[in-house]
Amino acid sequence: MGLAGEKFQLGTVGALSLSVVSSVSIVICNKALMSALGFIFATTLTSWHLLVTFCSLHVALCMKLFEHKPFDARTVMGFGVLNGISIGLLNLSLGFNSVGFYQMTKLAIIPCTVILETLFFRKKFSRYIQLSLSVLLFGVGVATVTDLQLNAMGSVLSLLAIVTTCIAQIMTNTIQKKFKVSSTQLLYQSCPYQALTLFIVGPFLDGFLTNKNVFAFAYTPQVLFFIVLSCLISVSVNFSTFLVIGKTSPVTYQVLGHLKTCLVLAFGYVLLHDPFSWRNILGILIAVVGMGLYSYFCTREAPKPTEASPQVIQVKEGESDPLIADSLNAAENGAAAATDEPLKVPMWSSKYARA
C-alpha cells in the first residue's frame, strides 16, 4: 500500500468500534425498513449490500486508496460462494425455526468455532477463556432466547448454517494470513462471488419464506430511501467484518457480535419502544461481565513483546486481540462473516425484526 492507503488503515480498537457502530446502525435501519415499511426480503437485500460494497471498493481502487493483489482464484471463488451459502442458510434457519431457536443457533457458533480451531488448527483456549465465553453465552441466552420450538428440517438447516458460518469466518482469518492480503483486498475479490450467489438464490429464497415477490413490491420513495441508506451502511459493515476477523480472530468477532445484539436490544427499547423485561436486563448484564472477562483474560494471556523478536510477537498479538485492547497501528496484514449478523448473521430478517 502507498501513503494514501496507510492513512486508511485502522487499528484494532478502531476496527472494533467501526464494526459495532455500523452493525447496530444497519440493524436499526433494516428493522425500520422491514417492520414499518414491510420490505421483508432479507436475502435479496443482502445481495444488494454486497453489490454496493463491491462498487464502492472499485471506486476506492480507482482512487488508489488500496492496491489490488490477485491470488489463488479457486480459493477466492470457494470462499465467496461459501459466504453466500452461509447467509442463505441462516435465513432459511430463521424461516423454519422459532426466533428463540434461531438465537440458539447464533449462540452455537462460538463453541463450534472453538472446536474447529482446536481440532484443525491446534489453537489452544485456556480454561479462563472458556469460562468467560460460557458466561457470555449464558447471558446472551437469558436476554434473547424465549421459545424453543424444534423441528427436524429447521434443526438440519441450523446445523448447516452453524458449520458454514464457522468455516467461512475461519477462512476469512486464515486466507488473509496465508496469502498476505489485507481485509480490503480480500473483500474486494470475494464480493462478486458472494453477491452473485445471493442474486441467484435471493429472490427464490425470499419468495419461499415470505410468499411474496420482491420484484412486485411497491417501492415508494420512503422504501427506496431506507434501502439506499441500508446499502451505504453495509459498506462499512462488510469492511469492518473482514477487518475485525483479520486483526483479531473469528471467536473475538463472534463475541463482538453478541455485544451488538445487546446494544440492539437496548436501542430497540429506547428508540423503538420494543418490549423489555428484567430478564433482558439481567441477561445483558451477565453478557457484559462475560465480555469483560474475555477481554481481561485475552490481555493477560497475550504474549509480551520483546526486543529480540518484535515481528514475531506482533503477529501473535494479532491473533488474540481482546475486545478492549490498545490500538495496533500495524498494516492490515494477517488473517468478514457476518454475517445480522455478516453481516454474516442476518439479524434484520423479518422474524427477528418483530422479536
Side-chain angles (χ1 to χ4, degrees):
M1 286 193 184
L3 180 61
E6 291 178 0
K7 292 180 180 178
F8 284 85
Q9 291 171 352
L10 300 175
T12 305
V13 171
L16 294 168
S17 302
L18 177 64
S19 180
V20 170
V21 172
S22 58
S23 295
V24 172
S25 299
I26 201 171
V27 169
I28 293 174
C29 174
N30 289 335
K31 194 168 184 179
L33 177 63
M34 294 185 171
S35 297
L37 301 176
F39 188 86
I40 54 177
F41 309 102
T43 309
T44 303
L45 180 62
T46 305
S47 69
W48 297 344
H49 287 171
L50 292 164
L51 176 63
V52 172
T53 299
F54 174 73
C55 293
S56 301
L57 289 176
H58 189 70
V59 171
L61 179 64
C62 293
M63 295 173 64
K64 301 191 183 303
L65 296 180
F66 72 95
E67 178 184 351
H68 181 46
K69 184 179 179 181
F71 59 99
D72 187 40
R74 286 186 179 181
T75 300
V76 175
M77 182 182 298
F79 172 70
V81 172
L82 180 64
N83 268 289
I85 292 173
S86 69
I87 294 172
L89 286 171
L90 281 165
N91 278 333
L92 276 174
S93 172
L94 180 58
F96 276 86
N97 293 303
S98 64
V99 174
F101 192 81
Y102 175 71
Q103 292 294 342
M104 287 295 296
T105 299
K106 288 164 55 180
L107 292 177
I109 292 175
I110 283 184
C112 181
T113 303
V114 170
I115 291 172
L116 290 177
E117 289 198 304
T118 301
L119 291 177
F120 296 102
F121 295 91
R122 301 186 184 280
K123 187 172 182 178
K124 294 183 179 180
F125 297 86
S126 69
R127 284 181 295 178
Y128 297 108
I129 295 292
Q130 294 175 28
L131 174 63
S132 62
L133 291 175
S134 299
V135 173
L136 165 67
L137 294 176
F138 177 73
V140 176
V142 170
T144 61
V145 177
T146 52
D147 58 323
L148 285 177
Q149 300 173 10
L150 304 179
N151 65 80
M153 179 60 72
S155 299
V156 171
L157 290 171
S158 292
L159 179 61
L160 292 174
I162 291 168
V163 172
T164 53
T165 299
C166 291
I167 294 175
Q169 291 182 358
I170 291 173
M171 286 182 66
T172 303
N173 186 284
T174 55
I175 287 175
Q176 291 183 57
K177 280 186 167 63
K178 180 179 179 181
F179 295 100
K180 293 181 170 53
V181 294
S182 70
S183 55
T184 311
Q185 291 166 335
L186 177 58
L187 180 60
Y188 175 72
Q189 294 185 65
S190 63
C191 247
Y193 298 106
Q194 295 184 59
L196 181 61
T197 302
L198 295 179
F199 264 129
I200 295 173
V201 304
F204 298 102
L205 182 59
D206 288 333
F208 175 72
L209 294 174
T210 65
N211 293 321
K212 294 182 180 180
N213 187 348
V214 63
F215 301 110
F217 188 80
Y219 290 90
T220 64
Q222 192 176 10
V223 170
L224 290 175
F225 171 79
F226 275 97
I227 289 176
V228 171
L229 179 61
S230 178
C231 289
L232 292 176
I233 299 174
S234 74
V235 177
S236 177
V237 172
N238 290 321
F239 172 70
S240 62
T241 295
F242 279 59
L243 187 60
V244 167
I245 295 177
K247 283 187 171 295
T248 58
S249 70
V251 173
T252 296
Y253 174 72
Q254 284 298 322
V255 171
L256 187 69
H258 292 305
L259 170 61
K260 299 172 194 174
T261 300
C262 295
L263 290 175
V264 167
L265 287 173
F267 279 115
Y269 172 72
V270 174
L271 299 179
L272 304 176
H273 305 291
D274 288 344
F276 211 66
S277 66
W278 284 106
R279 174 176 173 173
N280 299 129
I281 297 174
L282 176 63
I284 289 175
L285 291 176
I286 296 174
V288 169
V289 171
M291 292 174 204
L293 290 173
Y294 177 77
S295 178
Y296 170 74
F297 290 129
C298 281
T299 304
R300 196 180 73 170
E301 296 175 13
K304 304 295 182 183
T306 60
E307 296 182 0
S309 57
Q311 293 181 345
V312 174
I313 295 300
Q314 186 180 29
V315 173
K316 288 184 179 180
E317 285 179 343
E319 296 177 358
S320 59
D321 280 333
L323 281 177
I324 305 172
D326 292 332
S327 176
L328 297 181
N329 294 320
E332 285 176 7
N333 265 341
T339 230
D340 238 80
E341 246 78 326
L343 279 180
K344 301 304 264 173
V345 180
M347 295 174 60
W348 54 83
S349 54
S350 55
K351 277 193 179 179
Y352 185 88
R354 294 191 295 268

